[in-house]
Amino acid sequence: QKSFKVIEPQFKGKKRKAIENIGANLNSGYSLYDSVEDGVLPKLAKSMILVGEESSSLTEIFMELSKYYKDKDNFKKKFRNAMTYPVILLLITVFVVQFLIIYVLPTFADILTELGGELPALTQSLVRFSQFLVKYNLYILLGILILALIIMALLRIRSVRYRVDRFKFKFEMAKRNFYYRFTNTMSLSLNSKLPLQRAFEVSKGVYENLYVEEKLEQVRENIVEGMTLSHALEESQIFT
């Protein structure tokens, strides 16, 4: 309880309220795991707190969690920095192309027509497309919004989300991100003296990918049945 009193002034707003609630729950006799409300901490951190309480090693657990999230934050910063320039370049390109199609191209087309020239077939198609965008831009934006809402609703359906997650895992970037998170999470769990099966059980829910969660659960079950780790990972087919 004293520890949370010490760190409480470092936070503001909702975070400070969450810290206050944890301290109040501890004063009421709850365990630290039960004192932390869902959504306050990541799933992995809360699961590791439970492990720390069960094994009387909370200090070591918090030190490992601190290292894990520092490494994760550094990775996010590097990834963000690597993606900033391509994203900005893409946005500028889209803006310039849109400006040319909607405003510049029709002007040149009108000038060429007035001079008695004939536009190439491709240019005529672009002009018609430009006219379509100008005339129906509001409906297009509304359609995009409706489509986005439909996609969000569909992703709430578990079977749909599973298929989407499985499709996302086909991309190399998604795989690399998973490999990075998997090795760091397992390192954290095993350094905390967790048995291998328990490490998989604790860490499988932190990837926010139903397909990966299912595969890691299969790995855990195979290990429980006596299969070696290397064979179980090979059987999962997500490390190939």
Side-chain angles (χ1 to χ4, degrees), residues 128-143:
R128 285 194 291 269
F129 180 63
S130 170
Q131 293 170 344
F132 174 81
L133 289 179
V134 172
K135 186 175 182 180
Y136 298 104
N137 57 357
L138 184 61
Y139 298 102
I140 292 172
L141 291 175
L142 184 61

Side-chain angles (χ1 to χ4, degrees), residues 91-103:
L91 292 176
I92 293 175
T93 302
V94 170
F95 175 78
V96 170
V97 170
Q98 184 179 2
F99 179 80
L100 290 174
I101 290 177
I102 294 178
Y103 298 104

